[in-house]
Amino acid sequence: MRNILKKSWVLMATGLLLTSCNDFEEINVSPVAANADQVQVEYFINNSIISAQMNPDVAERSFILYWKVAAHYQEGGTLSAGGYNDGWTSAYYNQVASWLNAANTAIEIANGHISSGNTQPYTNNLLQVARIWRAYLMSEMSDNFGPIPINAFQGENPEFSDVKSVYYFTLEELKDASAKLDASVETNDRLRKLDPAYAYNWDSWKKYSNSLRLRLAMRLSEVDPAKAQSEFEAAAASSELILSMGDVFKVQERPGWDALSGVMSREWNAQLLSQTLFNTYFNLGGVESRNLLGGSFHSAIKPADWLGQRFENHFATKTNNPSAGYWFNGLPHAIDPRAYESFIIPGDFSNPNFSNYPSWTTDARNTKRQLLDDNGNVLKEIDATNTWNSTTNGSWGAKGAKNRLYTYSGTIPRMSHEFRTSQSQRVFFGPWETYFLIAEAALRGWSTPMGAKEAYEAGIASSFEYWNLPMQSYLSSEEYNRNGTSVSWDHTAEPPATQQMQFENGYTGETGQTAFKYPDNHLYKNGTVKNDHLTKIITQKYISQFPWLPLEAWNDHRRLGLPFFENPAVENPLPNLQALNSSNYMESRVEFFPQRLRYPSSLINTNPAGYDQAVGFLGGPDAVSTPLWWAQKK
């Protein structure tokens, strides 16, 4: 125990900077003089949970530039185009290791107290909470890198375990810890203040444990279906699941520069609408924009069959993005209602949720940009006020050099400012996810507490409740989005191969008709299906997880290839994504999308044996393109 304390005091001291000094003073001893029996388990749990909110430096790199970009939750060309930065990865790796260290220390101290008989009535419950939280952290780390140590981060050179072992271990931990939580145990004000998620409501922790077990069990659906089913069914049989807003696992953010600062709060990243969300939101649910927006926007709303203005010499076309080559010069006739809540229309400066970031420039308020001719002269000026657009990642080559519009932050919808002020509550698990997991399980024929349709619609309703939006006729809509997916559970008719759409030649102003082709997602059923039940479930889950759970959205895409993600543009070759080229860009392949993070160079330098062990378990090179054990390999 003495060794545990020695290696953990630095962590404790760091964590205490994030909590009230008076809390720690209640043990009434100097930290360096405290013995094993005087150390409080709850301080290490508190340290681990708060630290895992990520300080702004780590959040900007991992949550934003890795997870949100990989999930196609925002425009960006880092990880989604094969990009990788060892410094970013090292910062995250070191941080998640420290969070696990604190959780492991809490577990060891709790076990020590129990062994010595020096316990409080709630000591056993704290032990179970620490185990549940550690299971989440292990899943987060493994979902980024792959093989990780199970009995980890307490020595200098830990041994690594393969991903299957990690998942089997975490599932067993969740099962056992949940069973051993005693909801009848009373707490006190001091203790409740040290749990930023649930204030040590034991029922809430049990619900989180069971719902987390559903998540991790479903992760194995494609590679280990028998284990996935047995674990899922056992957890789902409990009525103790996250099923309402009161059950959400969330942590309050606060302004400043520490771990509780908002994960999306840094000004220098505009966090613009992604092309995947553009295509997914568009027309989904059939709710007309005029019913969602004030009258001042109505003149900008386009007809239902409007594709946009075509600028083939200025917008990338070497991509399977169904909207490639077009600028949408207005607002959609119909759109998923959550879109206008998540992203704010360019030029809507009176909207209290319009983000002016970065505040040291006027870029956010400049909606006028130019297209240039081959000689660098202005060919056309476009005003993006009251338009709804995004851009495909990748290389735009000469087209991009002539286009001052497509990467400019004032011309693309930007994420709502409500998520950027460090005043929100960061969500780790919401009820919508539980419902969509149950819907998928029921679809697979597993034993579930409700049917697939009921769970699917409950998941959508839960998401709309989070956004405080009315459902209207959303659930009955048979309108296709630009990926060819509709909302209505009972509407599984596939979209036509093409649909006649109106467009305008952006250079000449001439209008005409063109055959819009819905994209073929070869990652799912070889591109033959766009509107089956699983596609609907994951489409709705993808929208609902925005913006707090990009890692889960990325996980679903790696596991299932859903929803449809467009390929990066390859007007010029992408040096970090050489598998994608001008001859295959209309296909969807696993190797066109990031599968993991490479291990940091610091691991290679400090623990070469552990690094070799980890790579050996990967089943492939230590590369961004190597799929994890549970991810699809085709």
Side-chain angles (χ1 to χ4, degrees):
M1 178 66 74
R2 184 178 295 111
N3 288 335
I4 296 172
L5 297 179
K6 286 173 65 178
K7 73 190 175 189
S8 301
W9 280 124
V10 172
L11 279 173
M12 177 74 88
T14 302
L16 289 172
L17 295 175
L18 305 175
T19 58
S20 169
C21 293
N22 291 331
D23 290 336
F24 187 65
E25 288 169 0
E26 289 186 15
I27 68 174
N28 200 31
V29 293
S30 167
V32 296
N35 61 43
D37 290 335
Q38 292 169 321
V39 176
Q40 303 300 309
V41 178
E42 53 266 35
Y43 291 120
F44 286 93
I45 298 174
N46 179 255
N47 167 270
S48 183
I49 294 176
I50 288 180
S51 298
Q53 305 312 303
M54 302 185 186
N55 67 55
D57 177 68
V58 176
E60 176 73 9
R61 274 69 179 178
S62 54
F63 192 96
I64 304 298
L65 298 178
Y66 277 163
W67 298 353
K68 284 191 73 182
V69 168
H72 287 211
Y73 270 175
Q74 70 176 48
E75 184 274 329
T78 51
L79 193 60
S80 66
Y84 173 85
N85 183 289
D86 184 62
W88 301 352
T89 307
S90 295
Y92 171 70
Y93 187 92
N94 293 338
Q95 285 282 301
V96 72
S98 73
W99 311 335
L100 275 164
N101 189 346
N104 279 324
T105 303
I107 292 167
E108 293 201 28
I109 292 174
N111 281 325
H113 286 180
I114 292 169
S115 296
S116 68
N118 183 32
T119 63
Q120 299 292 331
Y122 47 74
T123 300
N124 176 69
N125 275 5
L126 291 179
L127 171 62
Q128 310 317 321
V129 166
R131 294 172 70 197
I132 292 166
W133 177 245
R134 181 179 64 174
Y136 165 73
L137 291 177
M138 292 180 70
S139 73
E140 178 183 305
M141 188 179 195
S142 181
D143 290 347
N144 279 279
F145 296 102
I148 64 168
I150 288 180
N151 299 313
F153 308 110
Q154 302 202 31
E156 293 182 359
N157 296 307
E159 291 192 0
F160 283 71
S161 300
D162 61 82
V163 175
K164 180 178 180 179
S165 298
V166 172
Y167 263 79
Y168 274 47
F169 175 80
T170 54
L171 286 166
E172 183 61 32
E173 282 286 280
L174 292 171
K175 172 186 175 182
D176 190 63
S178 177
K180 290 178 178 176
L181 267 176
D182 183 355
S184 68
V185 172
E186 294 185 1
T187 59
N188 54 55
D189 288 342
R190 183 197 66 83
L191 188 68
R192 287 190 286 271
K193 290 177 182 178
L194 290 173
D195 177 5
Y198 285 132
Y200 284 119
N201 181 310
W202 310 122
D203 285 326
S204 295
W205 273 104
K206 189 180 285 281
K207 291 176 181 179
Y208 174 61
S209 179
N210 289 330
S211 281
L212 182 58
R213 192 175 169 200
L214 298 184
R215 175 195 284 178
L216 301 189
M218 187 60 75
R219 192 92 79 242
L220 311 187
S221 62
E222 302 304 298
V223 68
D224 197 351
K227 177 68 170 177
Q229 181 176 355
S230 64
E231 291 285 347
F232 193 102
E233 289 180 343
S238 169
S239 60
E240 297 167 306
L241 298 167
I242 295 177
L243 294 171
S244 71
M245 288 301 160
D247 302 328
V248 174
F249 189 116
K250 58 189 178 183
V251 175
Q252 180 65 53
E253 299 176 333
R254 69 184 182 195
W257 186 284
D258 59 33
L260 287 175
S261 302
V263 289
M264 294 175 280
S265 62
R266 295 309 98 184
E267 290 198 26
W268 44 81
N269 191 305
Q271 301 192 46
L272 305 176
L273 176 71
S274 72
Q275 191 65 53
T276 297
L277 280 171
F278 172 90
N279 290 321
T280 304
Y281 285 142
F282 213 98
N283 208 43
L284 190 67
V287 181
E288 296 185 13
S289 286
R290 66 176 52 254
N291 295 328
L292 299 170
L293 301 171
S296 62
F297 293 97
H298 289 185
S299 62
I301 297 172
K302 296 296 182 181
D305 64 348
W306 185 250
L307 189 55
Q309 292 176 315
R310 182 166 176 81
F311 293 101
E312 67 272 15
N313 296 326
H314 290 81
F315 285 80
T317 54
K318 289 186 177 181
T319 169
N320 59 351
N321 170 25
S323 304
Y326 287 89
W327 169 263
F328 200 82
N329 58 324
L331 298 172
H333 172 76
I335 196 168
D336 189 292
R338 291 165 289 187
Y340 291 143
E341 300 294 322
S342 303
F343 293 89
I344 309 304
I345 297 167
D348 187 12
F349 305 135
S350 63
N351 190 320
N353 285 322
F354 182 88
S355 175
N356 288 301
Y357 288 172
S359 59
W360 53 84
T361 75
T362 59
D363 290 355
R365 290 178 171 269
N366 187 349
T367 60
K368 295 181 179 180
R369 299 297 290 171
Q370 301 81 34
L371 303 180
L372 308 180
D373 63 20
D374 293 335
N375 297 316
N377 300 313
V378 174
L379 177 68
K380 189 178 185 71
E381 182 172 81
I382 294 178
D383 187 349
T385 299
N386 294 347
T387 62
W388 188 262
N389 289 276
S390 186
T391 59
T392 303
N393 293 325
S395 173
W396 285 39
K399 295 180 179 181
K402 297 185 294 183
N403 190 326
R404 293 181 176 175
L405 178 69
Y406 82 112
T407 58
Y408 196 74
S409 63
T411 63
I412 297 174
R414 47 186 42 230
M415 191 178 68
S416 172
H417 197 61
E418 70 173 296
F419 303 115
R420 312 215 57 188
T421 61
S422 296
Q423 302 287 349
S424 299
Q425 294 173 317
R426 180 182 170 190
V427 174
F428 281 78
F429 208 113
W432 53 84
E433 184 177 349
T434 301
Y435 287 118
F436 290 128
L437 287 166
I438 291 172
E440 181 178 349
L443 190 65
R444 294 176 180 273
W446 300 353
S447 178
T448 54
M450 63 182 71
K453 178 181 179 179
E454 181 185 2
Y456 168 77
E457 294 184 345
I460 297 174
S462 177
S463 177
F464 272 67
E465 180 184 357
Y466 175 80
W467 290 100
N468 195 28
L469 288 167
M471 292 289 289
Q472 300 183 32
S473 58
Y474 186 86
L475 290 177
S476 62
S477 172
E478 298 182 357
E479 299 294 326
Y480 298 109
N481 66 8
R482 287 201 171 177
N483 297 333
T485 306
S486 67
V487 174
S488 172
W489 180 263
D490 298 321
H491 177 244
T492 55
E494 287 294 307
T498 60
Q499 180 178 341
Q500 288 299 307
M501 301 283 282
Q502 305 295 317
F503 79 101
E504 178 185 300
N505 184 314
Y507 304 113
T508 67
E510 295 181 65
T511 59
Q513 283 193 339
T514 187
F516 173 83
K517 185 181 185 305
Y518 293 100
D520 294 328
N521 182 7
H522 302 100
L523 294 177
Y524 182 68
K525 297 188 177 181
N526 200 31
T528 60
V529 175
K530 301 174 178 63
N531 196 39
D532 68 349
H533 286 142
L534 185 56
T535 303
K536 292 176 187 288
I537 292 169
I538 303 301
T539 294
Q540 290 296 330
K541 186 180 178 186
Y542 179 76
I543 295 172
S544 300
Q545 299 283 46
F546 180 88
W548 297 112
L549 291 151
L551 181 58
E552 279 308 300
W554 182 26
N555 287 339
D556 276 337
H557 191 264
R558 288 184 285 175
R559 176 172 67 96
L560 298 168
L562 293 171
F564 171 76
F565 281 11
E566 77 286 348
N567 292 329
V570 284
E571 300 294 333
N572 283 340
L574 293 170
N576 295 321
L577 204 62
Q578 296 183 11
L580 176 65
N581 55 58
S582 59
S583 66
N584 61 17
Y585 64 82
M586 289 303 294
E587 303 174 30
S588 298
R589 298 184 185 178
V590 169
E591 58 266 32
F592 295 171
F593 302 97
Q595 298 298 309
R596 58 180 292 274
L597 302 183
R598 290 169 51 191
Y599 290 109
S601 60
S602 56
L603 177 63
I604 305 172
N605 297 330
T606 60
N607 186 9
Y611 173 77
D612 290 342
Q613 189 179 39
V615 175
F617 286 137
L618 263 180
D622 180 18
V624 171
S625 59
T626 298
L628 300 182
W629 169 69
W630 47 260
Q632 60 173 329
K633 309 297 191 296
K634 55 191 175 185

